[in-house]
Amino acid sequence: MLSRIKTKLTETDRKILSAHEDIVDGIAAFLGSHCEVTLHSFEDPEHAIIKIVNNHHTNRTIGSPLSEQGAQIVLDYLDNKQQDRSCYTTSSAKGEPMRSLFTVIVNKDKPIGLLGINFNMTIPLTEFISTFSLFHGPNNLQSTENKEQLSANSVEELIHNAVNDVVIDISTNINIPNHEKNKYIVYGLHEKGLFDIKGSVQLVAKELKLSKYTIYSYIRELKDNNN
């Protein structure tokens, strides 16, 4: 089966595959750590993987062979020259269900590689929501200029969504006592840079039904603890 997939790659073929490496990183960054993304080369299907991100799901590494499912996708393409856009159910190394999609990479109809996306379906709902939060990651709300240019309505919406995201994370954390949850919500919002937005303290206080002085005290406490 793999011998039928094996092909001699040209320099152009290798450049096409190399160009897909940034795509692999981009997909993984967008979908988060619960998504494994792989790039395969058909020059040596028995050592097909040339790039993999978040490989803790399947424990595969660079040099691992083309999977049986991936090989079947390629063989189907060879037979009918059509990409199969169907999603499949595969399994992680721990037997967890994964939703998978494969795309054959071609150069003038010649299959040269395979892009695989495997999303672990056991991800907790709170982590899934957090991954796609507007405030998720270090690059959000970077520019002070942009923060000051936000309209009043958009600021209120941003604050509301951000508070909801952090409330979900904190309220489901059994390691945080109930009487300290508001404090940790404020900590989480501060770490995301929310309080750099003008007027955010008053809006967060309204959302949490706290006084703005309580919010300020929590922020001071966090800064003191970090010093």
Side-chain angles (χ1 to χ4, degrees):
M1 180 170 63
L2 293 182
S3 60
R4 187 180 169 200
I5 296 172
K6 186 174 182 179
T7 185
K8 184 175 181 179
L9 299 185
T10 66
E11 188 62 29
T12 300
D13 294 336
R14 294 189 181 93
K15 287 181 179 179
I16 292 173
L17 290 176
S18 178
H20 278 75
E21 293 187 9
D22 286 340
I23 297 174
V24 169
D25 288 328
I27 294 172
F30 181 75
L31 293 176
S33 63
H34 285 268
C35 181
E36 178 189 85
V37 188
T38 55
L39 179 64
H40 305 74
S41 165
F42 295 158
E43 190 161 33
D44 183 3
E46 293 184 357
H47 302 87
I49 293 181
I50 58 176
K51 185 175 180 67
I52 183 167
V53 181
N54 296 329
N55 67 322
H56 54 278
H57 293 288
T58 62
N59 295 331
R60 293 181 296 173
T61 61
I62 291 176
S64 291
L66 188 64
S67 68
E68 183 177 345
Q69 182 68 66
Q72 188 59 55
I73 297 294
V74 183
L75 292 175
D76 289 344
Y77 178 85
L78 288 171
D79 290 337
N80 57 41
K81 299 299 181 182
Q82 292 183 352
Q83 291 276 13
D84 186 350
R85 303 300 183 187
S86 304
C87 290
Y88 301 85
T89 299
T90 55
S91 298
S92 71
K94 297 180 180 179
E96 300 162 327
M98 302 184 75
R99 185 173 172 82
S100 301
L101 178 68
F102 302 93
T103 298
V104 180
I105 302 170
V106 301
N107 182 16
K108 297 180 180 179
D109 291 332
K110 180 184 76 172
I112 60 173
L114 187 73
L115 178 67
I117 302 173
N118 302 304
F119 196 89
N120 193 315
M121 300 304 292
T122 63
I123 177 174
L125 179 60
T126 53
E127 288 188 38
F128 182 83
I129 294 173
S130 178
T131 297
F132 292 95
S133 165
L134 181 63
F135 290 90
H136 180 76
N139 296 321
N140 295 307
L141 301 176
Q142 288 180 346
S143 169
T144 301
E145 180 180 357
N146 289 340
K147 297 169 192 174
E148 294 176 350
Q149 290 176 350
L150 293 171
S151 68
N153 288 338
S154 63
V155 167
E156 290 186 11
E157 184 177 355
L158 288 173
I159 299 296
H160 176 75
N161 291 337
V163 171
N164 280 346
D165 288 344
V166 177
V167 165
I168 290 172
D169 289 340
I170 299 301
S171 62
T172 56
N173 190 330
I174 62 174
N175 295 317
I176 300 176
N178 287 333
H179 68 277
E180 290 195 326
K181 288 193 184 294
N182 279 336
K183 179 192 297 186
Y184 279 88
I185 290 170
V186 173
Y187 287 177
L189 294 171
H190 182 272
E191 290 174 354
K192 294 177 183 295
L194 189 74
F195 294 115
D196 291 334
I197 300 175
K198 185 178 180 180
S200 59
V201 171
Q202 288 82 356
L203 291 172
V204 170
K206 181 180 178 181
E207 288 280 344
L208 296 178
K209 295 180 173 57
L210 300 173
S211 73
K212 64 179 181 180
Y213 304 106
T214 299
I215 302 294
Y216 283 125
S217 69
Y218 288 158
I219 294 173
R220 284 196 299 270
E221 182 177 331
L222 176 62
K223 290 180 178 179
D224 290 341
N225 291 338
N226 290 337
N227 292 334

